[in-house]
Amino acid sequence: MTEILSPVQLIQPKRFGDSRGWFTEVYSEPAFAKLGIDCRFVQDNHSLSVPKHTLRGLHFQTPPHGQDKLVRCIRGTIFDVAVDIRKGSPTYGQWVGAELSAENGYQLFIPIGFAHGFVTLEDNCEVTYKCSDTYAPANDGGIRWDDPTIDIDWLMPAGADPELSAKDAVQPLLASFDSPFSYDGRPLAPLA
């Protein structure tokens, strides 16, 4: 019997170090296929967030331009989050999150059907991510970062206000979202 892997996966690439520093393989199609990740990445994005507590999200693209994402932080530390928005999913509206940093080298794979967002936990964070489709403005969507039904713990101090884009400040709540994403039989599970 084949184990059904969670659709959102925390990837922990090995680092091989010596006196010069370290080397790591951040993406290998055959290695990722063994994890059940068989998408083809066609676009790489890179962002710089200068102030601590910059929050970007929760974002997704609707079909036919949905995006699988492979996210990593190459400078600083972020808290990266995925929210299940697949219609019919037993874990609809639930989230998982992980701390990604330049130091730990972890990556988060977020498949189509999940909203994605992150908050920076220090100043001057740089994030890169691979996408399985190019940016399509007509398919750009989002959910409120502070939706009370999702109730994400963004790891910010009590009373701290995040730095938001004008668009992210007014995204709709999950309750008013009619999801175009279908459940694929793999419920969201805690990150390993």
Side-chain angles (χ1 to χ4, degrees):
M1 184 169 143
T2 305
E3 177 186 3
I4 297 176
L5 298 173
S6 180
V8 177
Q9 295 186 46
L10 184 62
I11 313 293
Q12 302 174 20
K14 286 186 179 180
R15 287 184 173 172
F16 303 94
D18 59 26
S19 61
R20 301 167 298 161
W22 52 261
F23 169 84
T24 188
E25 190 175 83
V26 297
Y27 177 74
S28 162
E29 188 173 350
F32 275 61
K34 288 179 184 175
L35 299 173
I37 300 170
D38 59 1
C39 62
R40 180 177 160 253
F41 292 115
V42 298
Q43 179 175 309
D44 281 5
N45 298 332
H46 186 161
S47 71
L48 167 66
S49 299
V50 175
K52 181 178 182 177
H53 300 145
T54 295
L55 197 149
R56 298 178 186 264
L58 298 161
H59 303 149
F60 54 86
Q61 279 191 182
T62 58
H65 296 288
Q67 292 179 319
D68 299 296
K69 296 177 181 176
L70 180 62
V71 183
R72 67 189 183 117
C73 182
I74 61 170
R75 180 166 61 156
T77 306
I78 65 169
F79 185 63
D80 203 37
V81 171
V83 178
D84 189 346
I85 55 172
R86 299 169 298 163
K87 189 178 285 185
S89 172
T91 53
Y92 185 82
Q94 294 180 25
W95 64 275
V96 292
E99 212 170 273
L100 310 181
S101 69
E103 185 175 327
N104 69 24
Y106 294 174
Q107 300 178 91
L108 196 61
F109 175 74
I110 302 154
I112 294 169
F114 288 80
H116 169 247
F118 67 85
V119 66
T120 61
L121 301 180
E122 56 188 276
D123 293 336
N124 299 309
C125 289
E126 290 187 62
V127 174
T128 65
Y129 55 101
K130 296 183 163 306
C131 299
S132 64
D133 203 336
T134 56
Y135 177 61
N139 299 85
D140 190 26
I143 301 290
R144 280 285 299 255
W145 69 275
D146 60 348
D147 186 315
T149 62
I150 302 171
D151 196 26
I152 297 169
D153 177 0
W154 287 103
L155 303 186
M156 293 187 299
D161 290 322
E163 295 284 335
L164 297 168
S165 70
K167 179 177 84 170
D168 286 346
V170 296
Q171 294 283 16
L173 296 173
L174 185 63
S176 65
F177 176 61
D178 183 18
S179 179
F181 302 104
S182 299
Y183 178 59
D184 64 1
R186 297 180 305 152
L188 182 62
L191 298 173

